[in-house]
């Protein structure tokens, strides 16, 4: 773990369990990984909508969206991708600790980075669900909604995952969405892997 020099952790006055109980929340991270255009963002957005409409705090951390801000200084070199995943995992962990279901959709091509994201959560007692959106590269190339595969294959873009940069497929994901699975079915599969929220116990007073 990286820690700046000369800093001390400051405990708040309210702990995780009191926070979660009072809010009727249970934080967790749903981590979608897969090739560009495999369908991560589509399924993640549908999961988010379903959870929020069911009254659960859920918030999407979309790879492209994060690169508009917190990861906006990073490119696509292996080191920058690693840092992108590290920061995303840290933000997800904070959201999950706060009682929100963080829904991450980033290519996250390296197994080590995903393992580190999982370890960060599990060390902290937070549920981490890895979802492999396993769409064949030929189908991703056919979809190509942002035209990135086309540009990479024309040599206009370097370091594109699935073309000239590697993607290390998860060997033991918690959920695997294979090609042909429609979005509604994918949402059900993901939600069935998530721990249920406890009932809210509002006004809970901490033990004194
Ligand atoms: P990613 O976030 O992995 O880059 P997107 O969610 O943007 O991928 O999806 C890429 C394209 O694939 C979009 O045009 C989307 O409509 C389509 N798509 C996503 N999920 C499915 C699915 N389950 N079946 C068919 N098409 C899908």
């Amino acid at each position: 773990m990286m820690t700046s020099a000369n800093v001390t952790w400051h405990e708040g006055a309210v702990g995780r369990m009191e926070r979660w109980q009072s809010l009727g929340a249970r934080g967790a991270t749903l981590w979608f990984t897969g090739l560009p255009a495999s369908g991560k963002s589509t399924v993640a957005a549908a999961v988010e909508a379903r959870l929020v409409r069911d009254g659960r705090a859920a918030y999407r951390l979309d790879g492209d969206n994060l690169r508009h801000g917190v990861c906006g200084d990073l490119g696509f070199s292996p080191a920058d991708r690693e840092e992108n995943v590290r920061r995303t995992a840290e933000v997800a962990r904070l959201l999950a600790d706060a009682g929100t279901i963080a829904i991450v959709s980033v290519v996250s091509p390296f197994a080590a980075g995903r393992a580190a994201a999982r370890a960060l959560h599990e060390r902290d007692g937070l549920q981490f669900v890895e979802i492999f959106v396993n769409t064949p590269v030929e189908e991703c190339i056919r979809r190509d909604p942002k035209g990135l595969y086309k540009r990479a294959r024309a040599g206009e873009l370097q370091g594109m995952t699935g073309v000239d940069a590697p993607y290390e497929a998860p060997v033991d994901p918690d959920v695997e969405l294979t090609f042909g699975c429609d979005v509604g079915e994918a949402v059900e599969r993901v939600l069935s892997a998530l721990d249920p929220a406890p009932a809210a116990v509002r006004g809970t007073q901490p033990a004194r």
Side-chain angles (χ1 to χ4, degrees), residues 44-66:
V47 168
E48 179 189 38
R50 174 68 180 278
L51 285 167
V52 169
R53 287 168 191 157
D54 280 353
R56 294 195 71 179
Y59 196 79
R60 224 158 26 90
L61 298 172
D62 182 273
D64 273 13
N65 295 359
L66 292 179

Side-chain angles (χ1 to χ4, degrees), residues 7-179:
V7 292
T8 309
W9 185 268
H10 188 279
E11 282 302 336
V14 61
R16 181 190 293 165
M17 281 311 145
E18 185 190 348
R19 181 195 309 278
W20 285 12
Q21 262 186 12
S22 183
L23 299 173
R26 175 175 283 147
T29 290
L30 301 175
W31 188 285
F32 288 81
T33 175
L35 289 169
S38 55
K40 299 179 298 298
S41 305
T42 303
V43 179
V47 168
E48 179 189 38
R50 174 68 180 278
L51 285 167
V52 169
R53 287 168 191 157
D54 280 353
R56 294 195 71 179
Y59 196 79
R60 224 158 26 90
L61 298 172
D62 182 273
D64 273 13
N65 295 359
L66 292 179
R67 283 177 181 273
H68 281 74
V70 71
C71 298
D73 56 326
L74 302 174
F76 291 88
S77 66
D80 277 9
R81 284 168 181 263
E82 199 181 309
E83 175 62 10
N84 183 50
V85 165
R86 190 193 68 79
R87 286 186 204 172
T88 304
E90 289 283 359
V91 175
R93 183 180 64 92
L94 292 175
L95 286 179
D97 184 41
T100 294
I101 297 159
I103 306 174
V104 172
S105 50
V106 285
V107 175
S108 42
F110 302 120
R114 298 190 303 263
R118 179 187 289 280
L120 186 71
H121 284 73
E122 291 184 348
R123 252 197 328 261
D124 210 7
L126 292 163
Q127 191 189 14
F128 181 91
V129 181
E130 185 182 54
I131 302 135
F132 177 26
V133 186
N134 188 4
T135 305
V137 69
E138 299 74 26
E139 171 64 14
C140 297
I141 290 169
R142 194 191 64 74
R143 292 178 183 174
D144 202 14
K146 299 172 195 159
L148 295 175
Y149 285 102
K150 188 160 175 262
R151 286 178 54 208
R153 279 149 57 101
E156 293 165 18
L157 186 76
Q158 270 76 50
M160 171 74 178
T161 308
V163 178
D164 61 348
Y167 178 75
E168 298 172 1
V171 284
D172 190 21
D174 300 296
V175 178
E176 181 169 353
L177 303 175
T178 46
F179 177 48

